[in-house]
Amino acid sequence: MPVEGATYREAMSRLGAAVNVITTIDERGRHGLTASAVCSVTDQPATLLVCINRSSRSRVAFRVGGPICVNTLAHAQREISVAFAGRLGMEERFEEGVWTTLATGAPVLEEALVSFDCLVSSIVEVGTHSVIFCHVQEIRLGDAAEALVYFARAYHGLSHQPG
Amino acid sequence: MPVEGATYREAMSRLGAAVNVITTIDERGRHGLTASAVCSVTDQPATLLVCINRSSRSRVAFRVGGPICVNTLAHAQREISVAFAGRLGMEERFEEGVWTTLATGAPVLEEALVSFDCLVSSIVEVGTHSVIFCHVQEIRLGDAAEALVYFARAYHGLSHQPG
C-alpha cells in the first residue's frame, strides 16, 4: 500500500536540512527559489544535486548547460529564505540581500555561508519533481559562522561549536 | 577550471545535514553505512534519494527492486553513526542499537527519529557515486525530540524548539 503524501511529509519534516536559495538567469531575467533538497553527489568532478517541484515558476529557467547557483544561507538570512519561498515576483525577491555573480552569471548571494556556482549537467524527472545535477564551476566561502537549518517545520541556527 | 576536491569538500562541510544509517539485507546478511547525502524527491509517489560512494563495501548490496531503509538518527544515537561510518565488519555494526524490520525486510533501527522503509526504484551512476532512488513503502516515526545533524565536521543536536 503506498504511503500517503501527508504521512510522508510529516516524516520528512524530521530530516533536518540546510536552507538554500537556488538561482539562475535567462533572457527573461533572474529567477530564484528556496530549497532544502540539496545534497552532494561526488567531488570527482565536484557535483551536487537539487530537487525542485516541476510546478514551480522558476522550473523552466533551469536547462542543461545553463547556469545555476546554490546559495547556502547563514542564520542571519532567514528573511531571504522567506522571500524566495513566498508569493513575491521574481525581481522583488532579489530586493532582499545583495547579489553578485561569479563564473556562470547566476546570481550569487553576498554573505551566504557558501555559494556553489554551477552549470546544469543533467536533469532527471521523477514524479512531480526534477532532480537537477550540477557541475560546480566556482565556490565562494562566506564569513558567517552560523547556518540556517530547517527542522520540524521551523528555522533553527547551527553554530560551529558542537553541541 | 574545475573546482579542486579539497575546496569542494570544505564548502560541502558548511551544508548542514541530518545523519542517517542506510541499510539493506541480502543473501550474505545485513549491510549498513552512515550517509548524510539524503533528500526528498517527491511525495507523489513518496520517493527519496541517497548518494553513496561506489567504493563503499555495502554498495553492491543495493539493487533495483531490493530493500533499503533510511534511518534518520536521533541525537542520542551518535555512537551508531560512528559505528556505521568506521572500519567495523557488517555484523559488528549491527551490535550497536536495536534492530527490527517493517514491510521490506531491510533493518530498521528502533528509536530512530524516523525510518523510511523503501524499495530501490532506480540507480544513477555519477562519477564516484551512485544516486539511489527509493520508493517509500512504510514509515515509522520515533519518539525522540532531538535530531543528530552534521555541520562543520562535527555532530550537533537540534531540538524541536526553534532557535
Side-chain angles (χ1 to χ4, degrees):
Chain A
M1 202 169 78
V3 170
E4 281 182 27
T7 305
Y8 178 71
R9 290 191 297 276
E10 169 61 27
M12 266 296 158
S13 75
R14 302 191 178 197
L15 195 83
V19 180
N20 309 275
V21 169
I22 317 299
T23 62
T24 190
I25 188 165
D26 68 7
E27 61 283 0
R28 295 171 303 154
R30 296 183 290 181
H31 309 263
L33 76 168
T34 300
S36 61
V38 171
C39 69
S40 177
V41 178
T42 174
D43 64 357
Q44 297 168 46
T47 306
L48 54 80
L49 67 78
V50 181
C51 301
I52 68 171
N53 198 309
R54 292 166 75 171
S55 70
S56 107
R57 277 180 288 166
S58 311
R59 168 62 189 89
V60 296
F62 297 101
R63 296 172 195 152
V64 173
I68 181 169
C69 185
V70 174
N71 299 281
T72 304
L73 300 188
H75 188 223
Q77 295 175 317
R78 182 195 297 221
E79 289 312 312
I80 298 178
S81 171
V82 172
F84 279 83
R87 295 169 179 274
L88 292 178
M90 282 301 154
E91 273 306 315
E92 281 176 286
R93 297 179 179 201
F94 287 93
E95 288 170 13
E96 287 281 348
V98 178
W99 297 87
T100 182
T101 56
L102 292 170
T104 74
V108 172
L109 177 61
E110 298 269 6
E111 308 300 333
L113 205 59
V114 56
S115 293
F116 299 90
D117 186 43
C118 306
L119 294 174
V120 175
S121 53
S122 64
I123 301 178
V124 177
E125 306 294 349
V126 182
T128 55
H129 281 62
S130 302
V131 183
I132 304 179
F133 290 87
C134 308
H135 273 172
V136 184
Q137 306 295 308
E138 195 168 352
I139 282 171
R140 176 163 161 168
L141 298 171
D143 296 325
E146 202 175 3
L148 184 65
V149 174
Y150 201 68
F151 171 64
R153 300 195 169 96
Y155 290 107
H156 302 258
L158 205 54
S159 75
H160 276 198
Q161 286 73 41
Chain B
M1 202 168 79
V3 169
E4 281 183 27
T7 305
Y8 178 70
R9 289 191 298 276
E10 169 62 27
M12 266 296 157
S13 75
R14 303 192 179 197
L15 195 82
V19 180
N20 310 273
V21 170
I22 316 299
T23 62
T24 191
I25 188 164
D26 68 6
E27 61 284 359
R28 295 171 303 153
R30 296 182 291 182
H31 308 263
L33 75 167
T34 301
S36 61
V38 171
C39 70
S40 178
V41 178
T42 173
D43 64 357
Q44 296 169 45
T47 305
L48 54 79
L49 66 79
V50 181
C51 301
I52 68 172
N53 199 309
R54 293 167 75 171
S55 70
S56 108
R57 278 179 289 165
S58 311
R59 169 63 189 87
V60 295
F62 297 101
R63 296 171 196 153
V64 173
I68 182 168
C69 185
V70 174
N71 299 281
T72 304
L73 300 188
H75 189 222
Q77 295 174 317
R78 181 195 297 221
E79 289 311 312
I80 297 179
S81 172
V82 172
F84 279 83
R87 295 170 179 274
L88 293 177
M90 284 298 156
E91 272 306 315
E92 282 177 285
R93 297 179 179 201
F94 286 93
E95 289 170 13
E96 286 281 348
V98 178
W99 297 87
T100 183
T101 56
L102 292 170
T104 74
V108 173
L109 178 61
E110 299 269 7
E111 310 298 334
L113 206 59
V114 57
S115 293
F116 299 90
D117 186 43
C118 307
L119 293 173
V120 175
S121 53
S122 64
I123 301 178
V124 177
E125 306 294 348
V126 182
T128 56
H129 281 61
S130 302
V131 182
I132 303 179
F133 290 86
C134 308
H135 272 171
V136 184
Q137 305 294 308
E138 195 169 351
I139 281 172
R140 177 163 161 166
L141 297 171
D143 296 325
E146 202 175 3
L148 184 65
V149 173
Y150 201 67
F151 170 65
R153 300 197 170 95
Y155 289 107
H156 301 259
L158 204 55
S159 74
H160 276 196
Q161 285 73 41

